[in-house]
Amino acid sequence: MQWEFQHLLVILFFQFYTLDIYFHFSTLGATGRFGPNNNLQYQGTSLEGILVQDGLQTWNVPVTAQYHLELCGASGAGHNIFKTKGGRGAKVQGNFNLQQGTELTVLVGQHGKGGGGGGGTFVVFAVDGSPLAVAGGGGSADYVDGDHGQAGFSGSVNPGQPGKGGKVCLSKASFDSLFGIGGGGGLLTDGHCYASFSCNKLCIENDGGKSFNAGGQGGYNTKKVSRCAGGFGGGGNCGGGGGYSGGGVQVNAKSLDFHAGGGGSFVPNANWTVVAGGCSPGDGFATFQILLAQD
């Protein structure tokens, strides 16, 4: 009944050329590696009452219409000592026709904490887990600035294959394993780590950012005192940004300084635009605007 009423309102507004209806998804005040678990900040908005669980926001499209979508990934954290900056999230924009009742899962990327990679922002069809759009998060800063969230499907700096987590590689390897640095998570698989003299290994600890499919938590490490924690949305611990494909990391074996990559982005067709690092520093967001309601 509520959907029918909203549908009627949209049609009436459109007939009078005053249509301007937004649905703005935010982090709901959550910070760090875990996403929100309540919808309190949506009270009094067009998203009041939607399901929020383990950071994932479940939304039933209220009206059959053409929507304009704008997504931003979160930025990676800066480094206070080196005075370097984390990469900014990618900005994704485009139009898409959605049917009333379609269930979407939205994950809004969160800013990396204390040096962690930024989380990617994901909009995914709940029925089959396929992405509608993804905006990559920025890499964390170290001796150099972190890379921005990327415009293409691939992340930067030792990225994973499409949909996969980023890798951590060590130049002139002299360590069997390296703890405290992780790749960004992708849509399908977690960020990887440097272990057993390989830069494409599953993490012994939890340094790699979790994939969207695994819940999207940011990377962290319990056994090493670390200034980092990746942002929700797959940000790596002191590492790459989360996204459609996770950003990777290149580590200097002598100094242990590193260069962290940004996460990749996904768009459904070539009419969409993606700008690497096109978002303001901070958390990500996802906004849907109704352009043209359909009977």
Side-chain angles (χ1 to χ4, degrees):
M1 188 69 183
Q2 184 180 5
W3 283 352
E4 285 82 355
F5 178 68
Q6 289 176 324
H7 193 188
L8 177 60
L9 284 178
V10 167
I11 293 172
L12 289 174
F13 283 152
F14 180 70
Q15 288 174 344
F16 285 98
Y17 307 102
T18 60
L19 182 63
D20 188 20
I21 297 180
Y22 290 84
F23 303 87
H24 182 74
F25 294 84
S26 72
T27 65
L28 287 161
T31 61
R33 57 183 296 263
F34 293 110
N37 267 311
N38 66 74
N39 60 15
L40 296 179
Q41 290 193 10
Y42 286 155
Q43 289 185 3
T45 76
S46 56
L47 293 174
E48 183 172 356
I50 74 164
L51 176 65
V52 178
Q53 185 173 12
D54 296 326
L56 303 180
Q57 306 183 39
T58 302
W59 185 53
N60 290 300
V61 174
V63 175
T64 297
Q66 183 183 64
Y67 290 78
H68 178 75
L69 279 67
E70 180 177 341
L71 279 63
C72 268
S75 57
H79 197 293
N80 291 333
I81 296 176
F82 294 136
K83 306 299 182 184
T84 49
K85 298 179 180 179
R88 299 190 303 275
K91 177 175 282 189
V92 171
Q93 295 187 80
N95 299 338
F96 199 85
N97 293 325
L98 290 168
Q99 296 293 314
Q100 180 184 17
T102 300
E103 187 173 275
L104 298 174
T105 303
V106 180
L107 185 161
V108 178
Q110 294 175 190
H111 179 54
K113 178 182 178 181
T121 294
F122 299 76
V123 177
V124 173
F125 291 102
V127 66
D128 60 5
S130 63
L132 192 167
V134 181
S140 61
D142 191 61
Y143 187 71
V144 297
D145 293 343
D147 282 6
H148 297 320
Q150 300 293 291
F153 291 170
S154 178
S156 63
V157 188
N158 305 314
Q161 296 297 314
K164 305 294 183 65
K167 299 174 285 187
V168 176
C169 299
L170 190 64
S171 61
K172 297 181 181 179
S174 57
F175 297 90
D176 174 26
S177 297
L178 181 68
F179 300 104
I181 298 176
L187 177 73
L188 304 175
T189 67
D190 300 344
H192 284 202
C193 291
Y194 184 84
S196 302
F197 295 103
S198 171
C199 63
N200 194 26
K201 288 288 187 179
L202 296 177
C203 298
I204 299 172
E205 288 294 317
N206 295 293
D207 294 308
K210 295 296 183 183
S211 69
F212 173 87
N213 282 0
Q217 291 84 12
Y220 73 106
N221 192 295
T222 58
K223 293 186 177 180
K224 177 181 177 180
V225 176
S226 174
R227 64 182 176 83
C228 302
F232 184 64
N237 182 44
C238 288
Y244 178 66
S245 301
V249 186
Q250 184 67 38
V251 184
N252 183 309
K254 184 176 181 179
S255 64
L256 294 185
D257 295 332
F258 65 82
H259 177 196
S265 302
F266 176 91
V267 293
N269 60 62
N271 293 323
W272 286 51
T273 62
V274 189
V275 179
C279 299
S280 300
D283 295 325
F285 64 83
T287 299
F288 292 68
Q289 179 189 3
I290 295 175
L291 298 180
L292 178 61
Q294 301 167 10
D295 292 327

